[in-house]
Amino acid sequence: MVHKTKELLKTFNSEQKIIEYTRKEESKSLFELFFETIPDATMVISHNEFELFNCNHEFELLTGYSKTELLGTPLKEISLFKINNLEKYFSEVLKGSQKPQSVSLELQLLDGSKYYGLISSAIILIDNTKYILSIIKNNTEQKVLENKLRHSEEMHRLLADNASDVIWIMDLTGAFSYISPSVEKLRGFTVEEIMNQTQEELLCPSSRIYLEKGLEASIYAVQNNLPFIKFRGDMEQPCKDGSTVWTDLSVSGIFDKNHQFKGLLGVSRDISERRAMENEIRRLTEIDSLTQLYNRFKSDTVLKAEIERTQRSSSIFSIIMLDIDNFKKVNDAYGHTAGDEVLKGIARIIRSNIRKIDTAARWGGEEILIIIPETDILGAQNLSEKLLLKISEHSFPDIGHITASFGAAEYENGITEAVLVSRADKAMYEAKDAGKNCVRVYQDKENMS
């Protein structure tokens, strides 16, 4: 899978058309390549009716229907997905409250067999319309293994000692009674070393807190003779060489024939490949392929979050809108390839002269938006003048010097994202009218004395 992912990334890097989301035909090429590469069932659904917009061959095999039969069909009408309340899950994805990971599916296939999957989803933009991209990873083998382990301690030992997943048994105090030998391949520690580790050494801090909170309900259920509540989540674990590894952890209860609780059964699976694919999905949905700055979709999200943060903390922030001067003349005189190089060069200048907490995004065409937290209008003006100087001093091959016009605006409590951007845009056009290659800041003339 890692090899296939590297091949996919290599193809993405060499074929820029494939990852240009702002163009319809190139978006189609991306998905065609994406679907051909991913070995798991993959689908794209609309964000409003949750209708199937596209799917790959593995998805056809999973459902038992052809793409022609599936496209345009609401997900709830596909018999395979009538369970698990998937519409609620996708609604949470759209609201941004559902991370694209660790959501389990239990499906009934057409032949009557059960299929256990792990679905990961992310919002993508096609022709300025939101869709949901989902990858369903086959998890049936692990689930069957877990079921067998519950039935027999002897079978548990036999399978666990030879499984690639790490299987362990723990009591409610956190003491291990069994860890499968595969833990050494996963984390580099021997079974004996793991047995002697503290809770702080078993998991990275954020994952440890997540697990503790997740198991509270399970422990309460055991202590009060209630049905056991299973836990599942992604955990980051430290390795012996100083690195970390991400695992999909599922925890269930072990009960004897008298239904007496005997311990916690955990299964940890290495999900490094899956997380790499999820990160690539996120990268493709957030990054402008030409400039490698964030895209318009991502900047909208950051701008909204920054306004919410500023309102909560009563802090400040500003934005800068810049537009490359006479860019059409560059394209007309030197060609669009030369124009692309100018865009990439200016993007590099911006990235190297802003802070890590700042966000630079290609707003559209030759316009770039910069979001600068904890910065007032004077700070925005100073940064604009710095970038203006850096850009005007840079010499582009075959073209020479290029300039840009800058407009800056500070957030004012109560205004919307659209109003804030329009203010920076207005200031930028004032810079254009003033002769270009200069900076202007927004001033509310109606409220000026």
Side-chain angles (χ1 to χ4, degrees):
M1 178 65 180
V2 171
H3 178 67
K4 289 183 178 179
T5 302
K6 289 181 178 178
E7 290 182 346
L8 175 59
L9 296 180
K10 181 179 179 181
T11 304
F12 285 155
N13 292 331
S14 63
E15 296 291 334
Q16 289 189 353
K17 291 183 178 180
I18 295 174
I19 55 174
E20 183 61 53
Y21 278 94
T22 60
R23 300 174 185 174
K24 180 177 181 181
E25 292 304 319
E26 294 168 345
S27 296
K28 291 181 179 179
S29 299
L30 166 64
F31 284 111
E32 290 171 2
L33 176 62
F34 204 67
F35 289 172
E36 287 297 325
T37 306
I38 293 183
D40 302 307
T42 305
M43 64 178 178
V44 177
I45 62 172
S46 60
H47 79 288
N48 46 8
E49 300 298 329
F50 298 142
E51 294 178 348
L52 200 69
F53 176 75
N54 205 347
C55 65
N56 66 353
H57 183 60
E58 288 298 322
F59 188 86
E60 291 177 276
L61 293 177
L62 175 62
T63 61
Y65 295 101
S66 68
K67 183 181 292 190
T68 303
E69 296 172 304
L70 290 168
L71 296 190
T73 303
L75 209 60
K76 61 184 179 182
E77 293 183 13
I78 302 176
S79 59
L80 185 68
F81 295 102
K82 287 185 177 179
I83 56 176
N84 290 290
N85 202 8
L86 274 187
E87 288 197 5
K88 180 180 178 182
Y89 160 67
F90 288 124
S91 297
E92 294 298 314
V93 171
L94 286 171
K95 289 189 295 185
S97 57
Q98 174 63 55
K99 294 182 178 180
Q101 57 188 36
S102 299
V103 179
S104 300
L105 293 174
E106 182 177 339
L107 308 176
Q108 188 80 24
L109 301 184
L110 292 179
D111 62 3
S113 63
K114 282 191 175 182
Y115 176 98
Y116 298 93
L118 192 64
I119 185 170
S120 301
S121 301
I123 297 173
I124 62 173
L125 204 63
I126 303 176
D127 295 336
N128 296 318
T129 302
K130 288 182 181 179
Y131 291 83
I132 302 176
L133 171 66
S134 298
I135 300 174
I136 304 173
K137 190 174 185 63
N138 191 340
N139 204 36
T140 305
E141 183 179 350
Q142 178 183 350
K143 198 69 179 180
V144 170
L145 175 61
E146 290 178 21
N147 292 336
K148 288 183 178 179
L149 292 175
R150 292 190 191 95
H151 293 136
S152 170
E153 177 73 14
E154 180 180 352
M155 181 64 72
H156 165 75
R157 297 282 181 175
L158 176 63
L159 296 178
D161 286 349
N162 294 279
S164 58
D165 296 342
V166 178
I167 302 169
W168 48 265
I169 299 175
M170 177 188 290
D171 62 25
L172 293 182
T173 68
F176 287 110
S177 60
Y178 174 78
I179 302 175
S180 63
S182 51
V183 71
E184 187 167 1
K185 182 179 180 181
L186 179 70
R187 296 183 56 209
F189 296 103
T190 64
V191 171
E192 291 73 21
E193 289 172 326
I194 298 293
M195 287 283 192
N196 293 318
Q197 286 186 341
T198 64
Q199 295 295 316
E200 289 72 21
E201 294 172 308
L202 289 171
L203 293 168
C204 295
S206 60
S207 293
R208 185 174 67 253
I209 295 171
Y210 178 39
L211 178 62
E212 289 172 352
K213 290 183 177 180
L215 287 179
E216 283 179 359
S218 303
I219 294 172
Y220 177 84
V222 170
Q223 293 173 339
N224 292 274
N225 295 318
L226 299 173
F228 188 87
I229 300 175
K230 299 177 183 179
F231 170 85
R232 185 164 197 164
D234 286 4
M235 299 287 113
E236 186 179 15
Q237 297 185 263
C239 300
K240 194 169 187 176
D241 62 5
S243 64
T244 63
V245 62
W246 280 92
T247 61
D248 167 38
L249 171 64
S250 60
V251 181
S252 54
I254 302 176
F255 296 83
D256 62 19
K257 61 182 179 180
N258 297 318
H259 306 291
Q260 295 297 308
F261 178 78
K262 305 300 291 183
L264 298 172
L265 170 64
V267 180
S268 301
R269 167 170 288 186
D270 186 349
I271 56 170
S272 302
E273 295 177 3
R274 195 198 80 202
R275 287 187 69 90
M277 183 63 72
E278 289 171 352
N279 289 336
E280 180 59 17
I281 291 174
R282 284 191 286 272
R283 191 188 73 80
L284 290 172
T285 61
E286 296 177 350
I287 300 298
D288 174 66
S289 62
L290 177 63
T291 63
Q292 294 303 298
L293 299 176
Y294 284 119
N295 58 23
R296 174 74 173 269
F297 177 68
K298 176 64 174 179
S299 65
D300 286 343
T301 303
V302 173
L303 191 58
K304 181 179 180 181
E306 189 59 28
I307 288 178
E308 292 174 351
R309 186 195 68 81
T310 301
Q311 290 173 338
R312 289 195 307 269
S313 59
S314 299
S315 58
I316 58 173
F317 83 97
S318 299
I319 66 171
I320 298 169
M321 181 73 77
L322 70 94
D323 183 89
I324 303 172
D325 296 330
N326 304 313
F327 188 69
K328 184 177 184 302
K329 291 182 179 180
V330 172
N331 282 330
D332 291 345
Y334 300 97
H336 288 280
T337 300
D340 288 348
E341 291 303 315
V342 169
L343 279 168
K344 290 191 286 187
I346 289 179
R348 286 192 293 269
I349 292 172
I350 292 172
R351 281 198 303 270
S352 61
N353 286 280
I354 61 175
R355 304 168 300 176
K356 289 184 177 180
I357 64 171
D358 299 335
T359 300
R362 186 180 180 187
W363 187 255
E366 61 270 24
E367 289 185 333
I368 295 174
L369 176 72
I370 307 173
I371 304 170
I372 40 178
E374 303 297 339
T375 304
D376 61 13
I377 192 63
L378 180 58
Q381 182 178 4
N382 291 337
L383 176 58
S384 297
E385 291 172 348
K386 175 184 177 181
L387 292 173
L388 180 147
L389 183 61
K390 293 286 185 181
I391 291 171
S392 62
E393 289 178 341
H394 184 80
S395 180
F396 293 87
D398 301 325
I399 298 174
H401 295 281
I402 295 292
T403 63
S405 299
F406 291 75
E410 182 179 337
Y411 174 71
E412 178 185 328
N413 190 35
I415 67 173
T416 63
E417 302 100 290
V419 170
L420 179 60
V421 171
S422 70
R423 288 180 174 184
D425 200 53
K426 181 179 179 181
M428 185 264 290
Y429 276 104
E430 288 178 357
K432 292 280 190 184
D433 293 339
K436 303 177 182 178
N437 191 31
C438 61
V439 177
R440 291 292 183 269
V441 297
Y442 174 79
Q443 294 180 327
D444 190 347
K445 296 180 175 58
E446 294 182 1
N447 294 326
M448 292 176 63
S449 58

